[in-house]
Amino acid sequence: MSVATAPTGASGIKEVSCYRALTCAIIDSSKSNQRFLVTDDGGATWSHVGDIGVPSQDSVTSLACTSNLECIASFLNGSNGIVVYVTTDGGTTWTTRTGFSTVTWAALTSLNCVGSKCVGLAKLSTGWRIVRTDNFGKKWSKVASLRTSILTLACASLERCVVGGLEGSSSPWLATVTSGSVTSVKLKYVPTQIADVACGSKICVAIGV
């Protein structure tokens, strides 16, 4: 593992999405806006593609890009809940998805996309749920409700995912999600909560705190 070079002028890298080997996109904050940058050499150099047009005080909660650099990003606005932005031209221009209401959502995280279809984790007043869009954020539907403190989700495909977090106040919890069916995994010798999960095309891994 090596340390990548941070983009010039950044005050904090918020989200990373890698869509090919050594090829990634990030959202970072400068003093006045949220910037979108890409690298094709594993982070040795970065290109500033454009600004998203989101106030710097809004917090990005997730970013997912496909291999042709079509990306979807979610932000938490202080007064309007979750706001979703998409780009279909490699990050040069971004548009807001306004055809649905996410103002009551407290979070939208862990976006995973294949083409224009994406799944992610949404936090509502009733708890966490897995949500899906088949039109790049224009409309969202519920895949499954979750009765745990969910922190992270990753997918080998849009029909095969893993979720991890806490059950109750302190018990680590991990589950598989297959075509909307959530099945808990029995854990042994895991003393802390599941902090993150990641998937390749066939294998997924999880890490504790």
Side-chain angles (χ1 to χ4, degrees):
M1 181 179 292
S2 59
V3 178
T5 303
T8 302
S11 62
I13 296 173
K14 306 298 185 181
E15 287 290 333
V16 180
S17 177
C18 295
Y19 45 94
R20 284 194 300 270
L22 302 179
T23 307
C24 305
I26 65 170
I27 294 175
D28 79 357
S29 294
S30 64
K31 292 183 178 180
S32 58
N33 52 39
Q34 307 269 5
R35 305 188 306 173
F36 181 76
L37 302 98
V38 297
T39 180
D40 59 7
D41 55 15
T45 59
W46 293 91
S47 299
H48 176 204
V49 180
D51 298 334
I52 302 179
V54 179
S56 58
Q57 63 267 27
D58 287 4
S59 301
V60 59
T61 61
S62 192
L63 170 69
C65 295
T66 63
S67 58
N68 57 351
L69 206 52
E70 294 182 344
C71 304
I72 182 170
S74 57
F75 294 83
L76 179 61
N77 180 276
S79 58
N80 292 316
I82 292 295
V83 181
V84 174
Y85 286 76
V86 299
T87 179
T88 57
D89 59 8
T92 302
T93 58
W94 293 79
T95 56
T96 311
R97 289 301 194 216
T98 58
F100 67 99
S101 176
T102 56
V103 295
T104 59
W105 292 11
L108 177 59
T109 66
S110 299
L111 289 170
N112 290 253
C113 295
V114 177
S116 61
K117 300 178 180 180
C118 308
V119 296
L121 289 172
K123 186 177 183 182
L124 287 71
S125 59
T126 54
W128 287 94
R129 65 175 56 174
I130 301 172
V131 294
R132 175 171 176 146
T133 176
D134 291 327
N135 46 28
F136 219 38
K138 290 181 179 180
K139 294 182 179 179
W140 296 85
S141 59
K142 182 177 74 172
V143 175
S145 296
L146 301 165
R147 299 183 180 278
T148 53
S149 300
I150 300 301
L151 298 176
T152 183
L153 171 144
C155 300
S157 70
L158 295 184
E159 304 298 331
R160 295 175 54 245
C161 303
V162 294
V163 289
L166 282 175
E167 187 173 36
S169 60
S170 60
S171 299
W173 180 79
L174 187 68
T176 60
V177 184
T178 304
S179 299
S181 178
V182 181
T183 304
S184 296
V185 176
K186 188 175 182 179
L187 299 175
K188 293 183 178 180
Y189 314 113
V190 181
T192 60
Q193 68 191 46
I194 301 299
D196 206 358
V197 291
C199 292
S201 59
K202 296 182 179 180
I203 297 175
C204 298
V205 296
I207 188 171
V209 175

